[in-house]
Amino acid sequence: MRDHYQLIIIGAGPAGLAAAVTATNHGISCALLDEQASPGGQIYRAIESAPATRAQVLGSEYQQGKTLAEEFRACSVEYFPECKVWSLNSEREVGVLYKDQSKIISADQVLVASGAIERPVPFPGWTLPGVMQAGAGQILFKSAGVIPSDGVVLAGSGPLLLLLAWQYMQVGVEIKAMLDVTPHSNFLSALTKFPRALLAHHYLTKGLIYQRDLKRAGIVSKMAVSNLKAEGNGELQSISYRHLGREHSIETGLLMTHFGVIPDIWLTQAAGCQHRRDSSQQCWRPQHNEWGNTSIDGILIAGDGAGINGVRSAEYAGRLAVLQALFSLGVISQAERNQQSINPRKQMRKERHIRPFLEAYFAIPQNMLATTDKSTIICRCEEITAGEIRAAVDNAHGDSNQVKYLSRCGMGPCQGRQCANAVAHIVADAGGEAISDSSLFRGRPPVAPLTLAQLASLSAENAS
Amino acid sequence: MFKQLQNNDLGNLEVTLDGCKILVPQGTSVAAVVLAQGLRSTRTTPISNSPRAPFCMMGVCYDCLMIIDGKANQHSCATYVKQGMHVETQQGVGPALGDAR
Amino acid sequence: MNTDILIIGAGLIGTSTALQLAMRGCRCIVIDKASPGRHASGSNAGGLRQLNRDLAEIPLSVAAAKMWHNIENLVDSDCDARFPGQIRVAENQSDMHKLEQRAAMVRSMGYQHEEMIGRKELFQIVPALAPHCIGALICREDGYARPYHALTAFRQKAESLGASFHSDCEVYNITQEGDGWSVRTSQGTYNSSIVVNCAGAWAGELAAQMQEPVPLTPKALMLMVTERLPHFVDPVMGAESRKLSFKQMQNGTLIIGGALVAKLDFEQERTDIDWQQLAASAKTVLDFFPQLQDVRIVRAWAGIEGFMPDNIPVISASHKANNAYHAFGFSAHGLQLSPVIGLIMAQLILDGLSELPIEPFSISRFNH
Ligand SMILES: Cc1cc2nc3c(=O)[nH]c(=O)nc-3n(C[C@H](O)[C@H](O)[C@H](O)COP(=O)(O)OP(=O)(O)OC[C@H]3O[C@@H](n4cnc5c(N)ncnc54)[C@H](O)[C@@H]3O)c2cc1C
Ligand SMILES: Cc1cc2nc3c(=O)[nH]c(=O)nc-3n(C[C@H](O)[C@H](O)[C@H](O)COP(=O)(O)OP(=O)(O)OC[C@H]3O[C@@H](n4cnc5c(N)ncnc54)[C@H](O)[C@@H]3O)c2cc1C
Ligand code: FES
């Protein structure tokens, strides 16, 4: 690994891979850093190693990653897998942990393609063993061929839940129930976005096919489910919920939930990029322009890390951002940049027709984002409840960061990844204020924990 | 709760899980292995000693911490199995730190 | 808005001053451009240290320590204060010699709180320490508190006695009007008989507006904290000839610091962690506690603090104007002093003089 590159790409998902492929053959020094062992990011996880039968079950969308991964392997970009980026600053200095050595390298242009994480939505019992995120179930399946053996309850909202149900169905996993928390009112608000969504009707068709297949297999979602609870002594034993005005419960050792995905903004936050609250996507995301430029010169963002737009969009955004980086580096002219961007931009626009509809339809109900159930754990690491957070709001002057100082909420090893959103919503709700750009915790580096020895190796390296 | 599909052309490795030797497919994360082995929880919390298990499988939640080759607080979902690896469930903050060597 | 006493800055110093004034029945308002504890007072390392203080600070620090030991009487909360002692380790004979001289000097001033311990006792107190250490200076009554909790307790007590706190209220401009002051802020103008400048790293600008410029330098100090660990060390650790400041909190986390300075954009109030310095600090920690090598840092941050050239604060009535007072520039060790500073300021304001020796902290000391 060199000390300096003209371009560093962080993340080997569709955005980062497409970016790398676009950057190749321009004679620039370029590195792609990713924490996973192989290229693919979240959607194409283990794309190179998954056996053909498994890839088939995972669906056509997944298999498309194969070509991209092959193109990437053939390109000249230096690839560093199992390389964790633990810091990024406004000077475009990138702290990396590679082969147990920490190092700070720099670049003229940094493209952050960090992707998304699943939106953590706390509910009673969500910390019990046996409760996991649907994405976790999918990762187990994609990368290890590990699937539920005694059935599973799927709950939450969003396309990924449907996709997972369909994938599980193919391999004979018993789906005990599909509980959809999408309230009926979402249907109305989504209706106005429907005409535009028709312009990307292949997505709608795919959703309908999944639903049809599931229905044939006898799996039907219960709609507008509320009061989801996971119960059990030391591990999940049953779940309960409310549907059509009645309480129900199901015995299960496994519950997988999904509440949509949100951008992974830890790197852009660390760098000091400006972030905005996006009320439609119910998340915070780095401010950026049509080329992916953030508020900091030379730091670009592409893919779901910039705002959730899905896999195809991520690829196009990756290409556009690299064109911009190449232009900034003086490698291509403005005319070349513009010319080469026409097609990806057009495609990207087409892809995005579906988003407003999906965002409105799958919007998470406010009472789940800002739970009023005082005993629900919000901070999984420090085991801080919603009640404790609400109690701290006054003394913390309605500021999430000061709620953190008082309660230790967000001070555990996950650095607030699992609680930041919920805390922001609860603090705003308790203080009677609207959620805002600054409701999130301030980022605290390092982006990933480093051991003292790993950190010390930075200084040893510099001395030599 | 979980099972592993039979389709790995990859070889098997021997690892020790809480004192028992097991054969596991190469290229798998420790978390996937322990779940497939039927382990329900991988650690207990330092505060209330409640059991926890992998939740996100992508390095975000820190609930999959285990003691791997003697080192506490290792991300089992982001650690790949290796021949001869020792994996243990972690209780709270983990074992005492010992004296200066 | 009219008030008798306007305190600018709701850090520990302003808040403690408000508390003592309120205890003596005075009406005061504390204003802050952010909110109480947003800056140094909420982000510091929590150390309560009399050990190795500047000689001028010793009387104040000793008085403050007494207050910390009874802090619940003062603010109805123990502020999570604990007193496992603070230690300054000697790694060689030259360190040992310097520390012995220091101990003798403090004793000669009539104070007993700092004492030397040899290798045997050092390892009884800190068995986990690397074997090359040979002795230490110790202050057994020292310890630490949780800063934001302390600040909140001070504020709540002051409020219960009638003090008011106004957040998001930034001072733009201070002008003298007759014997009193007119203070223009982002939330309108405050007229007050008396102003107290407790604006931390920003106090230099305010002092300049009050025609008393001071050589204050804002700096951002860094700290890092680890995941929770099994208990392994009681006292707060420092070292004679190395940048080490290190403690294990009740919850098991380690807080590591020691004069590590971050990059600071003071205008934007933006700090950038300097990893090279933290790396050097990590190395130092491992030299003393090699068994920590696999312990993970989960967070690092920097807090903005005001430093004076002589590293001791300004605690003073104005030398230029009536009815103006200053307490700032605590140069990275103001938490420990804060209870007594409030007391001193209340005495200065209400009695015209303080019982404790504060001449070394005069604002005019930089004039020559
Ligand atoms: C668990 C999960 C499953 C998903 N499954 C699907 C699916 O099946 N179908 C679908 O259409 N969409 C899925 N999505 C949505 C997904 O976000 C996008 O479709 C797509 O993966 C976005 O591509 P990307 O390149 O922006 O980011 P990603 O694919 O998320 O890639 C980002 C990469 O950056 C790496 N990274 C992030 N931070 C760092 C760091 N600090 N250091 C080093 N590396 C880092 C990540 O490990 C990852 O490899 C899923 C999302 C999640 C979270
Ligand atoms: C990282 C770090 C570690 C430390 N560790 C220790 C330790 O272990 N032990 C110890 O004793 N001390 C320690 N200190 C020092 C201690 O925190 C400070 O000395 C103490 O908090 C100073 O309090 P203050 O009230 O003067 O300043 P602050 O807490 O900074 O308060 C000043 C306030 O004034 C406000 N203000 C500024 N300008 C204006 C304006 N124009 N209008 C309105 N309001 C304004 C600010 O918003 C701020 O809230 C440390 C400091 C730092 C940064
Ligand atoms: S399972 Fe979430 S970090 Fe490993």
Side-chain angles (χ1 to χ4, degrees), chain C residues 15 18-20 22-23 71-77 150-163 165:
Chain C
T15 304
L19 169 62
Q20 295 288 343
M23 281 166 63
I71 200 68
E72 196 150 1
N73 289 343
L74 184 65
V75 297
D76 304 337
S77 154
L151 182 279
T152 303
F154 275 69
R155 174 178 59 75
Q156 286 179 326
K157 184 72 186 190
E159 280 176 334
S160 75
L161 297 172
F165 286 76

Side-chain angles (χ1 to χ4, degrees), chain A residues 382 395 402 411 415 445 450, chain C residues 148 156 228 297-300:
Chain A
E382 295 292 318
N395 271 330
Q402 296 184 42
M411 288 197 180
Q415 295 155 305
L450 280 182
Chain C
Y148 195 81
Q156 286 179 326
R228 290 177 189 249
I297 300 296
V298 296
R299 248 182 354 266

Side-chain angles (χ1 to χ4, degrees), chain C residues 9 11 13 32-33 40-41 44-45 47 171 202 305 330 332-336:
Chain C
I13 302 302
D32 199 289
K33 67 185 175 62
S41 299
N44 65 58
V171 172
W202 296 262
E305 164 76 320
F330 283 82
H333 42 258
L335 165 68
Q336 196 270 350

Side-chain angles (χ1 to χ4, degrees), chain A residues 275-279 282-285 369 425 435-437:
Chain A
H275 288 73
R276 279 278 154 81
R277 164 84 186 158
D278 181 325
S279 55
Q282 301 177 299
C283 69
W284 283 261
R285 55 197 188 90
L369 294 176
H425 280 102
I435 195 105
S436 75
D437 293 349

Side-chain angles (χ1 to χ4, degrees), chain C residues 99-253:
Chain C
L99 291 175
E100 275 158 2
Q101 278 184 328
R102 160 84 194 177
M105 165 72 87
V106 173
R107 264 199 315 277
S108 74
M109 291 169 66
Y111 293 100
Q112 309 301 328
H113 59 278
E114 297 182 31
E115 55 180 298
M116 286 303 292
I117 53 172
R119 190 166 196 284
K120 187 154 169 254
E121 192 176 356
L122 175 60
F123 281 88
Q124 272 163 6
I125 299 173
V126 195
L129 190 62
H132 73 278
C133 301
I134 58 172
L137 188 65
I138 186 170
C139 176
R140 299 180 200 268
E141 306 98 66
D142 279 352
Y144 53 81
R146 272 169 83 186
Y148 195 81
H149 286 66
L151 182 279
T152 303
F154 275 69
R155 174 178 59 75
Q156 286 179 326
K157 184 72 186 190
E159 280 176 334
S160 75
L161 297 172
S164 313
F165 286 76
H166 298 178
S167 294
D168 300 313
C169 182
E170 178 169 2
V171 172
Y172 295 141
N173 190 296
I174 308 179
T175 46
Q176 202 159 14
E177 276 183 6
D179 257 359
W181 296 88
S182 168
V183 178
R184 195 164 62 77
T185 77
S186 53
Q187 298 208 5
T189 299
Y190 289 73
N191 294 304
S192 178
S193 316
I194 292 170
V195 288
V196 191
N197 174 12
C198 300
W202 296 262
E205 294 169 19
L206 298 183
Q209 286 193 28
M210 293 153 87
Q211 315 303 326
E212 276 184 310
V214 284
L216 177 148
T217 314
K219 285 187 205 166
L221 284 185
M222 296 184 287
L223 292 173
M224 49 184 168
V225 59
T226 68
E227 60 204 347
R228 290 177 189 249
L229 302 176
H231 168 261
F232 85 106
V233 62
D234 289 313
V236 180
M237 305 296 301
E240 170 58 16
S241 47
R242 296 227 251 156
K243 280 190 179 181
L244 178 75
S245 160
F246 171 100
K247 63 176 81 67
Q248 184 169 29
M249 303 297 281
Q250 292 295 107
N251 61 32
T253 61

Side-chain angles (χ1 to χ4, degrees), chain A residues 86-87 90 104 271-272 382 395 397 402 405-406 408 411 415 442 444-445 449-453 455-456 459, chain C residues 35-36 38 146 148-149 155-156 228 251 270 272-273 275 279 283 293-301:
Chain A
W86 51 265
S87 112
S90 57
I104 291 183
E382 295 292 318
N395 271 330
H397 316 284
Q402 296 184 42
Y405 297 165
L406 273 179
R408 282 194 60 79
M411 288 197 180
Q415 295 155 305
R442 279 186 294 277
R444 290 288 200 216
L450 280 182
T451 67
L452 283 167
L455 180 54
S459 120
Chain C
S35 57
R38 166 68 183 83
R146 272 169 83 186
Y148 195 81
H149 286 66
R155 174 178 59 75
Q156 286 179 326
R228 290 177 189 249
N251 61 32
R270 223 195 107 70
D272 254 330
I273 297 296
W275 293 105
K283 255 187 106 183
Q293 60 170 356
D294 295 323
V295 162
R296 294 178 312 172
I297 300 296
V298 296
R299 248 182 354 266
W301 69 91

Side-chain angles (χ1 to χ4, degrees), chain A residues 222-397:
Chain A
K222 290 208 167 133
M223 300 303 294
V225 161
S226 62
N227 283 21
L228 179 67
K229 288 194 185 93
E231 287 151 356
N233 190 4
E235 61 181 52
L236 181 70
Q237 284 156 336
S238 64
I239 62 139
S240 68
Y241 61 95
R242 174 181 281 266
H243 183 236
L244 298 176
R246 285 182 49 198
E247 301 294 329
H248 301 260
S249 105
I250 306 175
E251 272 181 36
T252 182
L254 207 53
L255 167 68
M256 290 185 186
T257 60
H258 180 69
F259 301 98
V261 296
I262 56 174
D264 175 337
I265 58 174
W266 281 275
L267 287 167
T268 45
Q269 264 199 324
C273 300
Q274 272 165 28
H275 288 73
R276 279 278 154 81
R277 164 84 186 158
D278 181 325
S279 55
S280 179
Q281 294 194 353
Q282 301 177 299
C283 69
W284 283 261
R285 55 197 188 90
Q287 230 181 313
H288 60 91
N289 70 4
E290 52 171 359
W291 295 103
N293 290 113
T294 65
S295 62
I296 295 178
D297 209 27
I299 299 186
L300 298 118
I301 176 94
D304 274 1
I308 305 304
N309 286 298
V311 48
R312 289 281 92 69
S313 232
E315 288 189 33
Y316 297 125
R319 290 183 203 280
L320 291 172
V322 162
L323 291 173
Q324 173 67 7
L326 291 171
F327 166 59
S328 300
L329 289 168
V331 177
I332 60 173
S333 70
Q334 189 165 17
E336 283 169 313
R337 178 198 69 176
N338 293 350
Q339 175 59 31
Q340 290 173 37
S341 71
I342 293 172
N343 193 43
R345 196 178 297 292
K346 199 168 98 193
Q347 299 293 341
M348 190 164 86
R349 208 168 288 140
K350 264 183 25 203
E351 285 299 323
R352 294 195 174 176
H353 289 315
I354 190 78
R355 304 314 303 186
F357 172 76
L358 292 181
E359 287 161 16
Y361 187 76
F362 292 115
I364 305 299
Q366 180 62 23
N367 64 3
M368 292 200 78
L369 294 176
T371 180
T372 48
D373 175 54
K374 290 199 169 150
S375 60
T376 298
I377 288 179
I378 302 299
C379 173
R380 297 174 67 95
C381 298
E382 295 292 318
E383 302 186 69
I384 311 294
T385 63
E388 290 170 85
I389 290 168
R390 286 181 184 269
V393 169
D394 266 355
N395 271 330
H397 316 284

